[in-house]
Short mmCIF file of all heavy atoms in Angstrom, two decimals:
data_model
loop_
_atom_site.label_atom_id
_atom_site.label_comp_id
_atom_site.label_asym_id
_atom_site.label_seq_id
_atom_site.Cartn_x
_atom_site.Cartn_y
_atom_site.Cartn_z
N ARG X 1 13.05 9.32 -4.41
CA ARG X 1 14.28 8.60 -4.16
C ARG X 1 14.09 7.58 -3.11
O ARG X 1 14.78 6.54 -3.11
CB ARG X 1 15.35 9.65 -3.88
CG ARG X 1 16.02 10.22 -5.09
CD ARG X 1 17.19 10.95 -4.85
NE ARG X 1 16.88 12.17 -4.27
CZ ARG X 1 17.80 13.10 -3.81
NH1 ARG X 1 19.05 12.63 -3.83
NH2 ARG X 1 17.39 14.20 -3.26
N LEU X 2 13.26 7.96 -2.17
CA LEU X 2 13.10 7.02 -0.95
C LEU X 2 12.45 5.67 -1.43
O LEU X 2 12.96 4.55 -1.06
CB LEU X 2 12.21 7.66 0.05
CG LEU X 2 11.78 6.72 1.21
CD1 LEU X 2 13.09 6.34 2.03
CD2 LEU X 2 10.88 7.50 2.23
N MET X 3 11.48 5.68 -2.42
CA MET X 3 10.99 4.57 -2.84
C MET X 3 11.92 3.73 -3.57
O MET X 3 12.05 2.46 -3.45
CB MET X 3 9.74 4.74 -3.74
CG MET X 3 9.03 3.57 -4.12
SD MET X 3 8.10 2.75 -2.74
CE MET X 3 6.85 3.94 -2.38
N GLU X 4 12.93 4.31 -4.45
CA GLU X 4 13.87 3.66 -5.25
C GLU X 4 14.85 2.92 -4.26
O GLU X 4 15.23 1.80 -4.36
CB GLU X 4 14.57 4.64 -6.16
CG GLU X 4 13.74 5.12 -7.23
CD GLU X 4 14.50 6.33 -7.99
OE1 GLU X 4 15.66 6.48 -7.73
OE2 GLU X 4 13.82 6.94 -8.80
N THR X 5 15.18 3.65 -3.11
CA THR X 5 16.10 3.08 -2.09
C THR X 5 15.39 1.92 -1.40
O THR X 5 16.05 0.85 -1.21
CB THR X 5 16.46 4.08 -1.05
OG1 THR X 5 17.12 5.26 -1.77
CG2 THR X 5 17.40 3.57 0.01
N MET X 6 14.24 2.04 -1.18
CA MET X 6 13.37 0.86 -0.52
C MET X 6 13.34 -0.33 -1.40
O MET X 6 13.63 -1.47 -0.96
CB MET X 6 12.04 1.30 -0.03
CG MET X 6 11.92 2.20 1.06
SD MET X 6 10.35 2.78 1.42
CE MET X 6 9.19 1.47 1.19
N VAL X 7 13.12 -0.13 -2.68
CA VAL X 7 13.15 -1.33 -3.68
C VAL X 7 14.43 -1.99 -3.81
O VAL X 7 14.50 -3.18 -3.72
CB VAL X 7 12.66 -0.79 -4.98
CG1 VAL X 7 12.76 -1.81 -6.13
CG2 VAL X 7 11.14 -0.42 -5.02
N ALA X 8 15.48 -1.10 -3.82
CA ALA X 8 16.92 -1.70 -4.04
C ALA X 8 17.19 -2.42 -2.72
O ALA X 8 17.85 -3.46 -2.84
CB ALA X 8 17.88 -0.49 -4.20
N HIS X 9 16.90 -1.90 -1.50
CA HIS X 9 17.13 -2.59 -0.33
C HIS X 9 16.39 -3.92 -0.21
O HIS X 9 17.03 -4.93 0.25
CB HIS X 9 16.82 -1.66 0.91
CG HIS X 9 17.10 -2.27 2.23
ND1 HIS X 9 18.36 -2.32 2.77
CD2 HIS X 9 16.22 -2.81 3.10
CE1 HIS X 9 18.26 -2.91 3.88
NE2 HIS X 9 16.99 -3.18 4.20
N ALA X 10 15.12 -3.94 -0.65
CA ALA X 10 14.38 -5.12 -0.61
C ALA X 10 14.96 -6.21 -1.48
O ALA X 10 14.99 -7.39 -1.15
CB ALA X 10 12.88 -4.82 -0.92
N ARG X 11 15.25 -5.74 -2.63
CA ARG X 11 15.87 -6.73 -3.65
C ARG X 11 17.15 -7.29 -3.17
O ARG X 11 17.37 -8.50 -3.29
CB ARG X 11 16.05 -6.09 -5.03
CG ARG X 11 14.72 -5.84 -5.73
CD ARG X 11 14.84 -5.43 -7.17
NE ARG X 11 13.63 -5.57 -7.83
CZ ARG X 11 13.24 -4.57 -8.73
NH1 ARG X 11 13.92 -3.55 -8.97
NH2 ARG X 11 12.07 -4.61 -9.23
N THR X 12 18.04 -6.44 -2.55
CA THR X 12 19.22 -6.91 -2.01
C THR X 12 19.06 -7.99 -0.88
O THR X 12 19.78 -8.91 -0.81
CB THR X 12 20.05 -5.69 -1.35
OG1 THR X 12 20.31 -4.78 -2.41
CG2 THR X 12 21.35 -6.23 -0.68
N HIS X 13 17.99 -7.92 -0.19
CA HIS X 13 17.74 -8.84 0.85
C HIS X 13 16.75 -9.96 0.36
O HIS X 13 16.22 -10.82 1.17
CB HIS X 13 17.18 -8.15 2.13
CG HIS X 13 18.11 -7.39 2.80
ND1 HIS X 13 18.52 -6.04 2.42
CD2 HIS X 13 18.97 -7.68 3.78
CE1 HIS X 13 19.46 -5.65 3.10
NE2 HIS X 13 19.75 -6.54 4.05
N GLY X 14 16.55 -10.05 -0.88
CA GLY X 14 15.73 -11.24 -1.43
C GLY X 14 14.24 -11.16 -1.22
O GLY X 14 13.63 -12.25 -1.27
N LEU X 15 13.72 -9.98 -0.90
CA LEU X 15 12.36 -9.97 -0.70
C LEU X 15 11.57 -9.96 -1.96
O LEU X 15 12.08 -9.59 -3.06
CB LEU X 15 11.83 -8.56 -0.06
CG LEU X 15 12.59 -8.34 1.35
CD1 LEU X 15 12.15 -7.02 1.97
CD2 LEU X 15 12.20 -9.54 2.36
N ARG X 16 10.37 -10.57 -1.93
CA ARG X 16 9.56 -10.76 -3.14
C ARG X 16 8.63 -9.63 -3.47
O ARG X 16 8.28 -9.47 -4.69
CB ARG X 16 8.66 -11.99 -2.96
CG ARG X 16 9.39 -13.28 -2.77
CD ARG X 16 8.42 -14.42 -2.57
NE ARG X 16 7.76 -14.12 -1.25
CZ ARG X 16 6.76 -14.86 -0.68
NH1 ARG X 16 6.40 -15.88 -1.37
NH2 ARG X 16 6.16 -14.54 0.48
N CYS X 17 8.26 -8.72 -2.51
CA CYS X 17 7.36 -7.77 -2.83
C CYS X 17 7.39 -6.58 -1.66
O CYS X 17 8.01 -6.84 -0.55
CB CYS X 17 5.93 -8.18 -2.88
SG CYS X 17 5.22 -8.90 -1.32
N LEU X 18 6.84 -5.48 -1.97
CA LEU X 18 6.66 -4.39 -0.93
C LEU X 18 5.16 -4.23 -0.82
O LEU X 18 4.43 -4.39 -1.86
CB LEU X 18 7.23 -3.10 -1.48
CG LEU X 18 8.80 -3.04 -1.52
CD1 LEU X 18 9.17 -1.60 -2.12
CD2 LEU X 18 9.30 -3.17 -0.13
N VAL X 19 4.67 -4.04 0.41
CA VAL X 19 3.37 -3.76 0.68
C VAL X 19 3.10 -2.57 1.48
O VAL X 19 3.89 -2.22 2.33
CB VAL X 19 2.70 -4.95 1.55
CG1 VAL X 19 1.27 -4.80 1.93
CG2 VAL X 19 2.80 -6.32 0.79
N CYS X 20 2.15 -1.80 1.05
CA CYS X 20 1.86 -0.50 1.77
C CYS X 20 0.35 -0.53 2.14
O CYS X 20 -0.41 -1.23 1.47
CB CYS X 20 2.25 0.75 1.03
SG CYS X 20 1.41 0.89 -0.50
N GLU X 21 -0.02 0.40 3.04
CA GLU X 21 -1.45 0.52 3.43
C GLU X 21 -1.77 1.90 3.53
O GLU X 21 -0.93 2.83 4.03
CB GLU X 21 -1.58 -0.26 4.77
CG GLU X 21 -3.03 -0.11 5.40
CD GLU X 21 -3.24 1.15 6.25
OE1 GLU X 21 -2.29 1.47 6.90
OE2 GLU X 21 -4.28 1.74 6.21
N THR X 22 -2.94 2.36 3.03
CA THR X 22 -3.53 3.68 3.25
C THR X 22 -5.02 3.60 3.34
O THR X 22 -5.53 2.46 3.36
CB THR X 22 -3.02 4.65 2.05
OG1 THR X 22 -3.36 6.01 2.40
CG2 THR X 22 -3.65 4.20 0.67
N GLN X 23 -5.69 4.73 3.39
CA GLN X 23 -7.10 4.71 3.51
C GLN X 23 -7.73 4.82 2.01
O GLN X 23 -7.12 5.58 1.20
CB GLN X 23 -7.52 5.83 4.31
CG GLN X 23 -7.02 5.76 5.71
CD GLN X 23 -6.74 7.02 6.40
OE1 GLN X 23 -6.17 7.88 5.73
NE2 GLN X 23 -7.10 7.23 7.63
N THR X 24 -8.86 4.25 1.84
CA THR X 24 -9.50 4.41 0.52
C THR X 24 -9.90 5.78 0.27
O THR X 24 -10.05 6.23 -0.89
CB THR X 24 -10.77 3.58 0.48
OG1 THR X 24 -11.59 3.94 1.73
CG2 THR X 24 -10.44 2.03 0.54
N THR X 25 -9.88 6.71 1.26
CA THR X 25 -10.27 8.07 1.06
C THR X 25 -8.99 8.96 0.69
O THR X 25 -9.11 10.13 0.39
CB THR X 25 -10.94 8.72 2.32
OG1 THR X 25 -9.99 8.47 3.40
CG2 THR X 25 -12.24 8.04 2.60
N ASN X 26 -7.69 8.37 0.75
CA ASN X 26 -6.57 9.06 0.48
C ASN X 26 -6.18 8.85 -1.08
O ASN X 26 -5.15 8.14 -1.35
CB ASN X 26 -5.42 8.61 1.41
CG ASN X 26 -4.21 9.53 1.41
OD1 ASN X 26 -4.01 10.32 0.53
ND2 ASN X 26 -3.39 9.34 2.40
N MET X 27 -6.86 9.51 -1.93
CA MET X 27 -6.61 9.41 -3.30
C MET X 27 -5.21 9.86 -3.73
O MET X 27 -4.53 9.18 -4.56
CB MET X 27 -7.68 10.11 -4.14
CG MET X 27 -8.96 9.33 -4.19
SD MET X 27 -8.83 7.67 -4.50
CE MET X 27 -8.27 7.69 -6.26
N PRO X 28 -4.63 10.90 -3.20
CA PRO X 28 -3.25 11.29 -3.57
C PRO X 28 -2.30 10.09 -3.33
O PRO X 28 -1.31 9.78 -4.05
CB PRO X 28 -2.91 12.45 -2.72
CG PRO X 28 -4.23 13.13 -2.52
CD PRO X 28 -5.17 11.93 -2.26
N ALA X 29 -2.37 9.41 -2.07
CA ALA X 29 -1.46 8.34 -1.80
C ALA X 29 -1.77 7.15 -2.63
O ALA X 29 -0.64 6.65 -3.24
CB ALA X 29 -1.72 8.03 -0.24
N ILE X 30 -2.94 6.84 -3.01
CA ILE X 30 -3.22 5.77 -3.91
C ILE X 30 -2.72 5.93 -5.27
O ILE X 30 -1.99 5.13 -5.95
CB ILE X 30 -4.69 5.47 -4.01
CG1 ILE X 30 -5.30 4.95 -2.64
CG2 ILE X 30 -5.11 4.50 -5.18
CD1 ILE X 30 -6.78 4.90 -2.46
N GLN X 31 -2.78 7.21 -5.76
CA GLN X 31 -2.25 7.58 -7.14
C GLN X 31 -0.74 7.48 -7.20
O GLN X 31 -0.08 7.07 -8.07
CB GLN X 31 -2.74 8.94 -7.58
CG GLN X 31 -4.23 8.99 -7.85
CD GLN X 31 -4.77 10.29 -8.01
OE1 GLN X 31 -4.30 11.39 -7.59
NE2 GLN X 31 -6.02 10.44 -8.63
N PHE X 32 -0.11 7.92 -6.09
CA PHE X 32 1.37 7.86 -5.90
C PHE X 32 1.82 6.52 -5.95
O PHE X 32 2.74 6.17 -6.75
CB PHE X 32 1.85 8.57 -4.61
CG PHE X 32 3.35 8.33 -4.28
CD1 PHE X 32 4.21 9.14 -5.16
CD2 PHE X 32 3.72 7.49 -3.38
CE1 PHE X 32 5.58 8.86 -4.87
CE2 PHE X 32 5.06 7.19 -3.20
CZ PHE X 32 5.98 7.98 -3.86
N TYR X 33 1.24 5.65 -5.10
CA TYR X 33 1.66 4.34 -5.05
C TYR X 33 1.50 3.55 -6.38
O TYR X 33 2.30 2.76 -6.79
CB TYR X 33 0.95 3.47 -3.91
CG TYR X 33 1.33 3.89 -2.53
CD1 TYR X 33 0.35 4.18 -1.64
CD2 TYR X 33 2.61 4.03 -2.18
CE1 TYR X 33 0.66 4.53 -0.29
CE2 TYR X 33 3.00 4.41 -0.95
CZ TYR X 33 2.08 4.65 0.01
OH TYR X 33 2.38 5.11 1.27
N ARG X 34 0.39 3.72 -7.03
CA ARG X 34 0.22 3.25 -8.50
C ARG X 34 1.18 3.72 -9.36
O ARG X 34 1.81 2.85 -10.20
CB ARG X 34 -1.27 3.53 -8.97
CG ARG X 34 -2.32 2.93 -8.09
CD ARG X 34 -3.63 2.82 -8.65
NE ARG X 34 -3.56 2.04 -9.94
CZ ARG X 34 -4.61 1.66 -10.53
NH1 ARG X 34 -5.79 1.84 -10.02
NH2 ARG X 34 -4.46 0.97 -11.62
N ALA X 35 1.61 4.99 -9.31
CA ALA X 35 2.66 5.51 -10.20
C ALA X 35 3.96 4.85 -9.96
O ALA X 35 4.87 4.81 -10.76
CB ALA X 35 2.78 6.97 -10.04
N GLN X 36 4.19 4.27 -8.68
CA GLN X 36 5.25 3.62 -8.26
C GLN X 36 5.38 2.09 -8.53
O GLN X 36 6.19 1.45 -8.12
CB GLN X 36 5.62 3.86 -6.79
CG GLN X 36 5.85 5.26 -6.38
CD GLN X 36 7.07 5.81 -7.10
OE1 GLN X 36 8.16 5.25 -7.15
NE2 GLN X 36 6.89 7.02 -7.79
N GLY X 37 4.26 1.62 -9.24
CA GLY X 37 4.23 0.22 -9.52
C GLY X 37 3.44 -0.64 -8.71
O GLY X 37 3.34 -1.86 -8.76
N PHE X 38 2.72 -0.08 -7.64
CA PHE X 38 1.89 -0.73 -6.78
C PHE X 38 0.52 -1.00 -7.41
O PHE X 38 0.02 -0.23 -8.18
CB PHE X 38 1.68 -0.09 -5.45
CG PHE X 38 2.97 -0.12 -4.48
CD1 PHE X 38 3.95 0.79 -4.86
CD2 PHE X 38 3.09 -0.92 -3.40
CE1 PHE X 38 5.07 0.76 -4.03
CE2 PHE X 38 4.21 -0.99 -2.67
CZ PHE X 38 5.20 -0.06 -3.00
N ALA X 39 -0.12 -2.17 -7.01
CA ALA X 39 -1.38 -2.55 -7.41
C ALA X 39 -2.24 -2.79 -6.11
O ALA X 39 -1.71 -3.32 -5.17
CB ALA X 39 -1.38 -3.79 -8.35
N ILE X 40 -3.51 -2.59 -6.23
CA ILE X 40 -4.36 -2.84 -5.07
C ILE X 40 -4.46 -4.33 -4.94
O ILE X 40 -4.47 -5.17 -5.82
CB ILE X 40 -5.83 -2.40 -5.43
CG1 ILE X 40 -5.88 -0.81 -5.53
CG2 ILE X 40 -6.85 -2.90 -4.38
CD1 ILE X 40 -7.18 -0.23 -6.03
N ASP X 41 -4.25 -4.74 -3.68
CA ASP X 41 -4.13 -6.15 -3.25
C ASP X 41 -5.21 -6.57 -2.34
O ASP X 41 -5.48 -7.80 -2.32
CB ASP X 41 -2.73 -6.35 -2.61
CG ASP X 41 -2.39 -7.84 -2.37
OD1 ASP X 41 -2.45 -8.50 -3.41
OD2 ASP X 41 -1.97 -8.18 -1.22
N GLY X 42 -5.73 -5.71 -1.52
CA GLY X 42 -6.86 -6.09 -0.64
C GLY X 42 -7.38 -4.98 0.22
O GLY X 42 -6.81 -3.92 0.17
N LEU X 43 -8.44 -5.30 0.90
CA LEU X 43 -9.10 -4.19 1.76
C LEU X 43 -9.23 -4.89 3.14
O LEU X 43 -9.35 -6.11 3.23
CB LEU X 43 -10.46 -3.84 1.22
CG LEU X 43 -10.59 -3.30 -0.13
CD1 LEU X 43 -12.08 -3.12 -0.50
CD2 LEU X 43 -9.87 -1.89 -0.15
N ASP X 44 -9.27 -3.99 4.13
CA ASP X 44 -9.56 -4.55 5.50
C ASP X 44 -10.77 -3.62 6.07
O ASP X 44 -10.48 -2.47 6.23
CB ASP X 44 -8.42 -4.38 6.46
CG ASP X 44 -8.60 -5.06 7.82
OD1 ASP X 44 -9.78 -5.04 8.31
OD2 ASP X 44 -7.75 -5.49 8.51
N LEU X 45 -11.93 -4.15 6.13
CA LEU X 45 -13.11 -3.37 6.47
C LEU X 45 -13.28 -2.98 7.87
O LEU X 45 -13.99 -2.14 8.25
CB LEU X 45 -14.21 -4.24 6.07
CG LEU X 45 -14.36 -4.60 4.55
CD1 LEU X 45 -15.66 -5.37 4.35
CD2 LEU X 45 -14.36 -3.32 3.70
N SER X 46 -12.29 -3.46 8.74
CA SER X 46 -12.37 -3.03 10.18
C SER X 46 -11.08 -2.82 10.80
O SER X 46 -10.94 -2.89 12.10
CB SER X 46 -13.19 -4.18 10.95
OG SER X 46 -12.44 -5.38 10.95
N LEU X 47 -10.08 -2.38 10.08
CA LEU X 47 -8.73 -2.14 10.63
C LEU X 47 -8.68 -0.99 11.61
O LEU X 47 -8.16 -1.04 12.65
CB LEU X 47 -7.78 -1.89 9.58
CG LEU X 47 -6.27 -1.73 9.97
CD1 LEU X 47 -5.79 -2.92 10.68
CD2 LEU X 47 -5.45 -1.35 8.81
N TYR X 48 -9.44 0.04 11.37
CA TYR X 48 -9.33 1.26 12.09
C TYR X 48 -10.32 1.24 13.21
O TYR X 48 -9.92 1.43 14.37
CB TYR X 48 -9.55 2.55 11.25
CG TYR X 48 -8.66 2.53 10.02
CD1 TYR X 48 -9.15 2.85 8.78
CD2 TYR X 48 -7.28 2.42 10.26
CE1 TYR X 48 -8.35 2.92 7.68
CE2 TYR X 48 -6.39 2.52 9.04
CZ TYR X 48 -6.94 2.75 7.86
OH TYR X 48 -6.17 2.78 6.72
N THR X 49 -11.68 1.06 12.95
CA THR X 49 -12.69 0.99 14.06
C THR X 49 -13.69 -0.04 13.53
O THR X 49 -13.66 -0.42 12.42
CB THR X 49 -13.32 2.32 14.21
OG1 THR X 49 -14.22 2.68 13.10
CG2 THR X 49 -12.25 3.42 14.51
N ASN X 50 -14.62 -0.22 14.23
CA ASN X 50 -15.82 -1.10 13.88
C ASN X 50 -16.72 -0.39 12.98
O ASN X 50 -17.68 -1.01 12.48
CB ASN X 50 -16.51 -1.61 15.09
CG ASN X 50 -15.75 -2.63 15.80
OD1 ASN X 50 -14.81 -3.37 15.22
ND2 ASN X 50 -15.86 -2.75 17.13
N HIS X 51 -16.50 0.94 12.81
CA HIS X 51 -17.47 1.75 11.99
C HIS X 51 -16.83 2.27 10.73
O HIS X 51 -17.36 3.35 10.17
CB HIS X 51 -18.01 2.81 12.89
CG HIS X 51 -18.63 2.37 14.27
ND1 HIS X 51 -19.80 1.63 14.22
CD2 HIS X 51 -18.14 2.40 15.45
CE1 HIS X 51 -20.09 1.31 15.44
NE2 HIS X 51 -19.11 1.76 16.16
N ASP X 52 -15.75 1.73 10.29
CA ASP X 52 -15.00 2.20 9.17
C ASP X 52 -15.96 2.39 7.91
O ASP X 52 -15.88 3.46 7.29
CB ASP X 52 -13.92 1.24 8.72
CG ASP X 52 -12.82 1.08 9.72
OD1 ASP X 52 -12.67 1.94 10.54
OD2 ASP X 52 -12.10 0.08 9.73
N ARG X 53 -16.67 1.36 7.48
CA ARG X 53 -17.54 1.50 6.40
C ARG X 53 -18.55 2.59 6.45
O ARG X 53 -18.89 3.25 5.43
CB ARG X 53 -18.13 0.04 6.12
CG ARG X 53 -17.06 -0.95 5.76
CD ARG X 53 -17.64 -2.28 5.75
NE ARG X 53 -18.46 -2.53 4.67
CZ ARG X 53 -19.18 -3.61 4.54
NH1 ARG X 53 -19.23 -4.55 5.45
NH2 ARG X 53 -20.11 -3.75 3.49
N GLU X 54 -19.08 2.85 7.70
CA GLU X 54 -20.06 3.81 7.76
C GLU X 54 -19.53 5.32 7.48
O GLU X 54 -20.18 6.14 7.00
CB GLU X 54 -20.61 3.86 9.25
CG GLU X 54 -21.30 2.61 9.59
CD GLU X 54 -21.65 2.51 11.11
OE1 GLU X 54 -21.65 3.60 11.70
OE2 GLU X 54 -22.02 1.48 11.54
N HIS X 55 -18.18 5.35 7.85
CA HIS X 55 -17.57 6.78 7.61
C HIS X 55 -16.73 6.77 6.34
O HIS X 55 -16.03 7.77 5.96
CB HIS X 55 -16.57 6.92 8.83
CG HIS X 55 -17.19 6.98 10.20
ND1 HIS X 55 -18.12 7.94 10.53
CD2 HIS X 55 -17.17 6.08 11.10
CE1 HIS X 55 -18.53 7.62 11.78
NE2 HIS X 55 -18.03 6.59 12.08
N GLY X 56 -16.86 5.72 5.56
CA GLY X 56 -16.14 5.75 4.28
C GLY X 56 -14.61 5.49 4.28
O GLY X 56 -13.96 6.03 3.41
N GLU X 57 -14.12 5.11 5.45
CA GLU X 57 -12.72 4.99 5.64
C GLU X 57 -12.26 3.62 5.90
O GLU X 57 -12.46 2.97 7.03
CB GLU X 57 -12.24 5.90 6.87
CG GLU X 57 -10.81 6.28 6.92
CD GLU X 57 -10.62 7.52 7.52
OE1 GLU X 57 -11.36 8.50 7.38
OE2 GLU X 57 -9.57 7.55 8.30
N VAL X 58 -11.79 2.92 4.89
CA VAL X 58 -11.37 1.60 4.80
C VAL X 58 -9.94 1.45 4.50
O VAL X 58 -9.50 2.23 3.67
CB VAL X 58 -12.39 0.83 3.75
CG1 VAL X 58 -11.83 -0.70 3.62
CG2 VAL X 58 -13.76 0.94 4.25
N ALA X 59 -9.25 0.50 5.05
CA ALA X 59 -7.79 0.36 4.80
C ALA X 59 -7.74 -0.43 3.45
O ALA X 59 -8.41 -1.38 3.18
CB ALA X 59 -7.12 -0.58 5.93
N ILE X 60 -6.83 0.15 2.66
CA ILE X 60 -6.57 -0.59 1.35
C ILE X 60 -5.00 -0.89 1.40
O ILE X 60 -4.23 -0.06 1.73
CB ILE X 60 -6.88 0.44 0.17
CG1 ILE X 60 -6.63 -0.26 -1.16
CG2 ILE X 60 -6.07 1.70 0.30
CD1 ILE X 60 -7.24 0.52 -2.37
N PHE X 61 -4.80 -2.15 0.92
CA PHE X 61 -3.43 -2.64 0.88
C PHE X 61 -2.95 -2.65 -0.63
O PHE X 61 -3.76 -3.12 -1.55
CB PHE X 61 -3.29 -4.03 1.57
CG PHE X 61 -3.55 -3.90 2.96
CD1 PHE X 61 -4.79 -4.08 3.56
CD2 PHE X 61 -2.38 -3.81 3.81
CE1 PHE X 61 -4.93 -4.00 4.88
CE2 PHE X 61 -2.72 -3.70 5.18
CZ PHE X 61 -3.88 -3.86 5.71
N MET X 62 -1.76 -2.29 -0.89
CA MET X 62 -1.25 -2.23 -2.19
C MET X 62 0.15 -2.96 -2.15
O MET X 62 0.83 -2.84 -1.25
CB MET X 62 -1.06 -0.74 -2.63
CG MET X 62 -2.48 0.01 -2.68
SD MET X 62 -2.37 1.63 -3.29
CE MET X 62 -2.34 1.19 -5.10
N ARG X 63 0.41 -3.66 -3.27
CA ARG X 63 1.54 -4.51 -3.36
C ARG X 63 2.35 -4.24 -4.64
O ARG X 63 1.75 -4.00 -5.66
CB ARG X 63 1.19 -5.96 -3.40
CG ARG X 63 2.30 -6.96 -3.43
CD ARG X 63 1.77 -8.39 -3.55
NE ARG X 63 0.89 -8.74 -2.41
CZ ARG X 63 1.19 -9.24 -1.18
NH1 ARG X 63 2.45 -9.57 -1.01
NH2 ARG X 63 0.24 -9.51 -0.38
N ARG X 64 3.63 -4.20 -4.49
CA ARG X 64 4.49 -4.15 -5.62
C ARG X 64 5.42 -5.30 -5.69
O ARG X 64 6.29 -5.58 -4.81
CB ARG X 64 5.35 -2.83 -5.51
CG ARG X 64 6.33 -2.79 -6.69
CD ARG X 64 7.10 -1.45 -6.74
NE ARG X 64 8.22 -1.63 -7.71
CZ ARG X 64 8.99 -0.51 -8.02
NH1 ARG X 64 8.93 0.66 -7.42
NH2 ARG X 64 9.96 -0.73 -8.86
N GLN X 65 5.22 -6.19 -6.75
CA GLN X 65 6.10 -7.34 -6.79
C GLN X 65 7.50 -6.95 -7.26
O GLN X 65 7.80 -6.03 -8.03
CB GLN X 65 5.51 -8.25 -8.03
CG GLN X 65 4.12 -8.81 -7.62
CD GLN X 65 4.16 -9.82 -6.36
OE1 GLN X 65 3.40 -9.59 -5.48
NE2 GLN X 65 5.11 -10.68 -6.38
N LEU X 66 8.40 -7.72 -6.68
CA LEU X 66 9.82 -7.38 -6.96
C LEU X 66 10.52 -8.55 -7.67
O LEU X 66 11.49 -8.29 -8.37
CB LEU X 66 10.62 -7.10 -5.60
CG LEU X 66 10.14 -5.99 -4.80
CD1 LEU X 66 10.89 -5.78 -3.54
CD2 LEU X 66 10.26 -4.60 -5.59
N ALA X 67 10.10 -9.72 -7.45
CA ALA X 67 10.64 -10.94 -8.06
C ALA X 67 10.44 -10.89 -9.54
O ALA X 67 9.46 -10.49 -10.03
CB ALA X 67 10.01 -12.27 -7.49
N GLU X 68 11.49 -11.17 -10.33
CA GLU X 68 11.49 -11.12 -11.70
C GLU X 68 10.82 -12.39 -12.31
O GLU X 68 10.85 -13.44 -11.70
CB GLU X 68 12.84 -10.95 -12.30
CG GLU X 68 13.65 -9.96 -11.50
CD GLU X 68 13.51 -8.65 -12.14
OE1 GLU X 68 13.68 -8.47 -13.35
OE2 GLU X 68 13.29 -7.61 -11.34
#
């Protein structure tokens, strides 16, 4: 319900999309966001630390388009 509320609020305010960020190692979150209509939009290889890639922890950004 929270996601539905966020989408409705965003549309009411004329926003074009919603963006979320999680870690590439957080598969439950990625699967949830995909089920909610989000698609992978980009990666940030150094968002958390300078050693993200060595530890297998990279920021993944996901976007859900709202504009019709």
